[in-house]
Amino acid sequence: MRDRRVKIAPSLLAADFTCLRTEVWKAEAGGADLLHLDVMDGHFVPNITFGPMVVKTVRRLTHLKLDVHLMIQQPFRYVGQFADSGADSITVHAEACHDLPGVIRQIRTQRVCVGVALNPDTPIDVIKPVLEQLDLVLVMSVNPGFGGQAFMPSCLRKIRELRRWIDRAGLKTEIEVDGGIWPQTAPRVKQAGVDILVAGSAIFGSGDVAENIRALRNS
Ligand code: DX5
Ligand code: ZN
């Protein structure tokens, strides 16, 4: 096991939206390192969640960094709005960008951190040319669109390979994994070399949020 401290990013997708304020506070008090916000447009993925207004609302509730995961088509149309809403990092899907280097530059001009996400079927080679411009690579360990899906072990090879690229090049780019992360699956991705664990169901699904965060951290 690598001894680097892994960050925990609770995904609000699984939170109880009738009391979003309490859920955010529980995550912050429970030791979350950042908050993960899943934006879905019903086109890039079949599901629809929320947009900049909710990001702006969450921004007013917490000092935690907001990690905005855009599962939307033509993300360049909305980058400015999400940055203005208080996102600290904006992650776009490589599959949704015709001009990935252009979108990366656009996010950078907003003075927020830049992430690129890869679906389970997308090889990591697509980001090789832009890797050194990224703060974050988000490796999907489920097909994006819904919480509560089973972890796909095929992400492990991608994480290991990315870890090698990043370390060899001496980059600070972080690797984030998203989908099906539980205390049972977390040790495998930690060992493969991730820096950030995203977890929705495992944190907000049942039980105590702080306890669940601790269980992931100590797994
Ligand atoms: C899925 C989202 C995830 C989701 C993970 O498309 O990107 O962030 O919240 O949910 P769990 O942890 O329940 O698999
Ligand atoms: Zn996500």
Side-chain angles (χ1 to χ4, degrees), residues 5-12 24 27-28 31-37 62-68 88-89 136 174 176 195-199 203-204 213 217:
R5 182 179 178 278
V6 168
K7 296 180 188 168
I8 310 286
S11 164
L12 287 183
V24 168
E28 184 162 6
D33 296 283
L34 56 164
L35 281 181
H36 184 84
L37 286 89
T62 180
H63 297 295
L64 289 175
K65 287 204 175 354
L66 304 185
D67 168 34
V68 175
D88 293 284
S89 63
L136 191 69
E174 293 187 295
E176 182 175 36
D195 301 288
I196 307 171
L197 302 177
V198 175
I203 291 177
F204 291 112
I213 291 175
R217 205 183 284 295

Side-chain angles (χ1 to χ4, degrees), residues 11 36-38 69 71 138 140 178 198:
S11 164
H36 184 84
L37 286 89
D38 289 299
H69 177 192
M71 285 161 273
L138 197 173
M140 291 302 303
D178 185 4
V198 175

Side-chain angles (χ1 to χ4, degrees), residues 161-178:
E161 182 73 11
L162 260 174
R163 182 81 269 156
R164 273 196 291 273
W165 288 1
I166 289 169
D167 289 350
R168 264 189 219 143
L171 300 173
K172 292 208 166 68
T173 313
E174 293 187 295
I175 306 175
E176 182 175 36
V177 65
D178 185 4

Side-chain angles (χ1 to χ4, degrees), residues 63-217:
H63 297 295
L64 289 175
K65 287 204 175 354
L66 304 185
D67 168 34
V68 175
H69 177 192
L70 297 183
M71 285 161 273
I72 64 175
Q73 273 172 1
Q74 301 189 310
F76 66 89
R77 296 173 61 201
Y78 298 98
V79 161
Q81 279 190 56
F82 282 102
D84 291 346
S85 304
D88 293 284
S89 63
I90 295 181
T91 297
V92 295
H93 269 264
E95 306 84 5
C97 299
H98 294 300
D99 172 20
L100 186 58
V103 179
I104 292 169
R105 277 195 300 276
Q106 188 203 2
I107 300 174
R108 190 64 76 197
T109 60
Q110 300 289 331
R111 299 181 183 283
V112 296
C113 292
V114 184
V116 171
L118 301 171
N119 282 343
D121 288 341
T122 306
I124 58 173
D125 306 68
V126 303
I127 52 156
K128 199 163 193 180
V130 293
L131 186 62
E132 50 186 61
Q133 294 154 48
L134 302 181
D135 298 296
L136 191 69
V137 178
L138 197 173
V139 177
M140 291 302 303
S141 39
V142 297
N143 282 307
F146 298 92
Q149 303 181 71
F151 174 78
M152 296 167 75
S154 58
C155 70
L156 295 169
R157 246 192 50 206
K158 291 163 80 172
I159 294 169
R160 276 195 291 269
E161 182 73 11
L162 260 174
R163 182 81 269 156
R164 273 196 291 273
W165 288 1
I166 289 169
D167 289 350
R168 264 189 219 143
L171 300 173
K172 292 208 166 68
T173 313
E174 293 187 295
I175 306 175
E176 182 175 36
V177 65
D178 185 4
I181 300 299
W182 288 83
Q184 293 76 18
T185 47
R188 302 171 71 185
V189 292
K190 286 184 189 175
Q191 199 150 30
V194 293
D195 301 288
I196 307 171
L197 302 177
V198 175
S201 314
I203 291 177
F204 291 112
S206 64
D208 179 67
V209 169
E211 223 19 70
N212 293 341
I213 291 175
R214 208 167 312 128
L216 274 177
R217 205 183 284 295

